[in-house]
Amino acid sequence: MSDAVIQVQGLVKRFGALTAVDGVSFTVERGEIFGILGPNGAGKTTMLECIEGLQKADAGDALVLGMNALQQPEKVKDRVGVQLQASAYFERLTLTEILKLFGKMYSRRVEPEKLLEMVELTEKAHDVVKVLSGGQKQRFTLAASLVNDPEVVFLDEPTTGLDPQARRNVWELIERMHDEGRTIVLTTHYMEEAQKLCGRVAVMDAGAIVALDSPSELIKKLPIPFHIRLSTSVPVPMEELAGLPGVEQPVTQDGDHYVLPSISAEATLPALLQWLNEKGASPLHLEVISATLEDVFLELTGKELRD
């Protein structure tokens, strides 16, 4: 039985002649990590701001925890956590003082000490934000988004600008937040991030959702979801490789390797190994390369991803 905590129907947001969000509809189930994937300019942030009650939509509905975000934005904001793309803090207040101040704005709150411990910033409790590193600032922003103990947390580009180590630290924090029972909605244009964290992703471009499913199912729907790279002890006829089950595009060569485009690695691999045995050829290298969410995006939109 569905337990949707977010229900969006026909959401539209315009800025003059520009339609930034164009009739978007989707639901998010309780306990999901739901990703919204797309390049800058796709409408991700604007759509989230309408759902969070920060922007007024021109049409449609957005229900969050049973409340209408378009009609009851203050009630929605009291029960959700929001991490914006860019955040500004009082320069002279310590981390603890900032969290105490933010907590006074909500009907329920979490003690600063607990939040700082969660994001591993306890030793920075009496420091100001400007002395933090980039990764520490992002972790503090996550702590600030949890100050009201929200059931739903919106994270807008949570790892933009971070180095790989800091990015993975933030991923671990997001997974910890999820393990505590929170529903998380995040936007990103990092394919690896969406594939690592999200149970489902909505691919968004030009204000519209062009696909929505789990990362694995989106990849399976590609015309060619797998490429098999093979090198052999003796040369083999490429035209016979092309006739193997699942191989539906021409086989090519990349140096010493044959490259087999396959619609089903499960069908191609056993047939390939049997065929090699019959030919008296041994595989020196055999690798199955799965497509990625970036391939899905390019297939759906025909565009390169833009930072």
Side-chain angles (χ1 to χ4, degrees), residues 5 11 15 19 26 32 40 46 49 55 60 68 88 97 102 125 128-129 136 145 163 171 193-194 220 235 240 248 253:
V5 295
L11 196 68
F15 297 98
T19 302
F26 65 94
E32 272 197 288
N40 289 340
T46 301
E49 288 178 348
Q55 291 249 24
N68 192 310
E97 291 168 339
F102 284 6
V128 295
V129 173
Q136 288 171 337
S145 74
D163 63 54
W171 290 357
E193 184 161 283
K220 285 180 183 177
E240 292 188 28
E248 293 198 358
Q253 276 192 284

Side-chain angles (χ1 to χ4, degrees), residues 28 112 189 192:
V28 178
H189 56 263
E192 183 186 6

Side-chain angles (χ1 to χ4, degrees), residues 1-287:
M1 185 175 179
S2 177
D3 186 16
V5 295
I6 299 173
Q7 297 170 285
V8 178
Q9 185 65 42
L11 196 68
V12 176
K13 177 62 181 177
R14 302 183 185 93
F15 297 98
L18 173 67
T19 302
V21 181
D22 192 5
V24 166
S25 300
F26 65 94
T27 62
V28 178
E29 301 297 314
R30 186 177 302 277
E32 272 197 288
I33 300 182
F34 184 89
I36 303 167
L37 186 64
N40 289 340
K44 307 186 303 293
T45 295
T46 301
M47 179 181 70
L48 277 196
E49 288 178 348
C50 292
I51 298 169
E52 295 159 355
L54 300 178
Q55 291 249 24
K56 185 171 177 59
D58 294 301
D61 285 308
L63 299 180
V64 181
L65 297 167
M67 299 172 290
N68 192 310
L70 310 184
Q71 299 172 7
Q72 303 168 293
E74 295 306 318
K75 289 186 177 181
V76 169
K77 284 184 273 189
D78 189 55
R79 292 182 60 190
V80 304
V82 177
Q83 174 257 316
L84 303 174
Q85 277 192 32
S87 300
Y89 299 103
F90 297 98
E91 292 183 359
R92 298 187 180 183
L93 295 185
T94 67
L95 304 191
T96 297
E97 291 168 339
I98 291 171
L99 294 175
K100 284 183 177 179
L101 177 62
F102 284 6
K104 292 180 183 297
M105 302 175 187
Y106 296 96
S107 60
R108 60 180 184 178
R109 63 192 63 90
V110 181
E111 290 302 315
E113 294 78 11
K114 182 177 179 181
L115 293 171
L116 292 174
E117 180 182 4
M118 177 184 177
V119 299
E120 300 179 4
L121 289 175
T122 299
E123 75 283 0
K124 300 290 185 180
H126 302 296
D127 290 341
V128 295
V129 173
K130 68 180 180 181
V131 305
L132 302 180
S133 68
Q136 288 171 337
K137 287 178 182 176
Q138 204 70 343
R139 279 152 46 202
F140 178 69
T141 299
L142 288 176
S145 74
L146 300 177
V147 72
N148 59 328
D149 194 22
E151 300 167 61
V152 180
V153 183
F154 295 93
L155 306 176
D156 196 1
E157 305 282 4
T159 62
T160 295
L162 298 183
D163 63 54
Q165 182 178 2
R167 181 174 296 148
R168 290 186 180 275
N169 288 339
V170 170
W171 290 357
E172 290 176 4
L173 284 173
I174 292 171
E175 290 176 327
R176 199 179 310 164
M177 291 160 58
H178 178 247
D179 290 342
E180 291 178 349
R182 306 182 202 276
T183 302
I184 298 172
V185 179
L186 66 89
T187 72
T188 183
H189 56 263
Y190 292 124
M191 302 299 104
E192 183 186 6
E193 184 161 283
Q195 204 157 341
K196 162 75 173 171
L197 295 175
C198 301
R200 289 191 303 149
V201 295
V203 181
M204 193 169 182
D205 191 43
I209 290 177
V210 295
L212 196 163
D213 212 325
S214 68
S216 60
E217 288 301 315
L218 287 173
I219 290 168
K220 285 180 183 177
K221 292 173 184 176
L222 286 169
I224 302 295
F226 304 101
H227 285 82
I228 298 172
R229 285 176 57 84
L230 166 73
S231 65
T232 57
S233 57
V234 296
V236 294
M238 290 173 57
E239 64 275 10
E240 292 188 28
L241 286 173
L244 291 173
V247 180
E248 293 198 358
Q249 288 189 5
V251 174
T252 59
Q253 276 192 284
D254 179 12
D256 295 334
H257 290 80
Y258 302 97
V259 181
L260 290 68
S262 173
I263 62 171
S264 171
E266 292 179 354
T268 303
L269 277 175
L272 172 62
L273 292 172
Q274 181 179 345
W275 181 84
L276 287 172
N277 184 57
E278 292 170 356
K279 293 292 180 182
S282 302
L284 302 179
H285 177 87
L286 183 59
E287 178 183 11

